[in-house]
Amino acid sequence: MLKFIISESKLFSRLTQTPLLSHFFMLSAKSLTSVKDPKIFNEAIRKLRYGDVTGKETFNGRFIDLDNDALNYLKGGMSVHDVGCSTGVTSLELYETCEKNNLKLRYHISDKFTSLFFSGKFLTTVFDKDGKIRQIYFLNVLFDKHLSLAFFASKFLSIFFSRTIIMDVNKKNITKISLLDPKVQALEKEGKVTVLDYDVFEGNNEKYDFIRCMNVLNKSYFSDDQIKLGLENLFKSAKENGYLLIGRTNKHYVNRASLYKKNSNSFTLIKTYNGGSEVDDLLLMLSKKKLAGPS
């Protein structure tokens, strides 16, 4: 079976509300640049993003309980880093919560991929910042190797075309597509929010007063060794007396999270939410290792 691309965002919205038809259609990458409706945009991004284990699926109100409690620890002038922000809708809510409470923060949000790129007119190739092909579509037919076997024709043809196309990420005719909510894009343009392409397994040299990492370092996604590496990088990114809020949203949409404070060579557990994070044991091991010092 084949899967198809459409360019009309209003048609896409209607189709996604029809359970059977919604499986057959996706909004084209080209059309994302003109979508203004956040609901349509976020639904299109959710469907577009295949192949990333952490995904792009999120929703409004997901972390409201955590946002409200974060006000007890945030102070004006702090630098905040929201890791794994997906489309940024939950980052936007934290930003707006702080603004309503007159908290002026230096706000950073990140994801492994905050943008995709496309090139071509009739044969369109969609690829990420690393030059890896994510999708191909010829006219209105979608080729995507990450589709389910229900769309075996689209899946097979994607493998065929991927072997014949070599991406030049420096081509002049390449168009950038932001994967962030339109309101977040506006805040970035205004300089109120800094957007980073950030891989928690690679880290960076910046340090922050408050780091939130939700639904990224999940045990269902990564091995303990991978998670430990991610936690090491988060530890390095936290300032002295800085905070780390980490956890996941379970299948019942309950946020199981823990808040830590960095003291010298370790993280100290400050508070748990709904039983705490599933990686608390790994963070405890990390803290003991840090306290013990190098062997």
Side-chain angles (χ1 to χ4, degrees):
M1 293 176 66
L2 291 170
K3 198 159 189 171
F4 300 95
I5 286 288
I6 55 178
S7 58
E8 284 291 327
S9 60
K10 290 183 179 178
L11 176 60
F12 172 77
S13 180
R14 288 197 293 269
L15 288 171
T16 54
Q17 295 173 29
T18 308
L20 181 61
L21 291 176
S22 66
H23 296 289
F24 289 89
F25 297 94
M26 292 180 66
L27 188 66
S28 73
K30 295 177 182 178
S31 299
L32 283 171
T33 57
S34 60
V35 174
K36 302 301 180 185
D37 186 322
K39 185 176 180 181
I40 296 175
F41 183 88
N42 285 292
E43 178 63 20
I45 292 293
R46 186 185 69 80
K47 286 180 172 290
L48 176 67
R49 286 298 304 240
Y50 285 94
D52 184 355
V53 69
T54 57
K56 280 285 182 185
E57 187 168 7
T58 192
F59 49 86
N60 289 306
R62 192 175 195 176
F63 306 137
I64 290 298
D65 55 335
L66 301 178
D67 290 351
N68 290 330
D69 194 64
L71 295 174
N72 295 315
Y73 305 94
L74 292 169
K75 296 179 181 179
M78 277 186 168
S79 57
V80 174
H81 185 190
D82 193 11
V83 179
C85 68
S86 295
T87 60
V89 293
T90 51
S91 302
L92 177 64
E93 288 175 332
L94 177 57
Y95 175 88
E96 291 177 338
T97 296
C98 293
E99 285 289 298
K100 288 176 183 177
N101 286 271
N102 297 313
L103 272 175
K104 302 299 180 183
L105 305 170
R106 288 175 287 128
Y107 209 84
H108 306 76
I109 68 173
S110 70
D111 204 75
K112 185 175 181 179
F113 300 108
T114 59
S115 306
L116 289 180
F117 305 83
F118 71 83
S119 66
K121 188 173 182 181
F122 299 109
L123 182 66
T124 301
T125 307
V126 181
F127 56 99
D128 60 34
K129 67 181 178 68
D130 296 330
K132 294 180 180 178
I133 294 174
R134 290 285 174 169
Q135 290 183 336
I136 303 168
Y137 45 92
F138 177 68
L139 298 177
N140 286 29
V141 181
L142 171 68
F143 310 135
D144 189 327
K145 67 180 181 180
H146 299 293
L147 292 171
S148 71
L149 287 174
F151 298 96
F152 57 87
S154 284
K155 193 176 181 76
F156 171 78
L157 289 169
S158 172
I159 296 171
F160 171 78
F161 277 105
S162 294
R163 290 174 177 173
T164 62
I165 296 175
I166 299 175
M167 290 310 309
D168 180 359
V169 296
N170 297 311
K171 276 185 178 180
K172 293 182 179 179
N173 64 341
I174 286 174
T175 302
K176 182 178 179 179
I177 317 157
S178 176
L179 299 177
L180 298 173
D181 180 274
K183 288 185 178 180
V184 177
Q185 293 183 47
L187 288 173
E188 181 186 16
K189 289 179 180 178
E190 293 170 13
K192 295 179 179 179
V193 169
T194 300
V195 176
L196 308 170
D197 281 310
Y198 173 85
D199 187 337
V200 72
F201 299 117
E202 295 176 1
N204 63 22
N205 295 321
E206 300 299 319
K207 290 188 178 293
Y208 307 94
D209 296 295
F210 191 98
I211 301 171
R212 180 170 75 175
C213 184
M214 291 293 297
N215 298 307
V216 178
L217 297 178
N218 295 354
K219 291 191 175 184
S220 58
Y221 293 160
F222 304 109
S223 69
D224 282 3
D225 285 341
Q226 287 176 298
I227 292 173
K228 287 177 186 176
L229 175 60
L231 294 175
E232 286 269 7
N233 287 327
L234 291 176
F235 181 87
K236 293 174 185 176
S237 293
K239 289 183 179 180
E240 181 66 14
N241 295 316
Y243 295 95
L244 170 65
L245 176 63
I246 190 166
R248 68 172 299 183
T249 310
N250 67 20
K251 63 181 180 180
H252 302 295
Y253 303 108
V254 174
N255 294 312
R256 294 195 56 188
S258 296
L259 181 68
Y260 290 85
K261 189 172 184 178
K262 184 175 179 178
N263 296 300
S264 298
N265 290 320
S266 67
F267 273 134
T268 301
L269 181 63
I270 301 297
K271 187 173 184 178
T272 61
Y273 305 83
N274 302 308
S277 166
E278 67 179 17
V279 299
D280 283 342
D281 59 327
L282 301 179
L283 265 167
L284 179 61
M285 290 172 61
L286 172 66
S287 291
K288 286 182 176 179
K289 179 181 175 183
K290 293 292 181 184
L291 284 169
S295 57

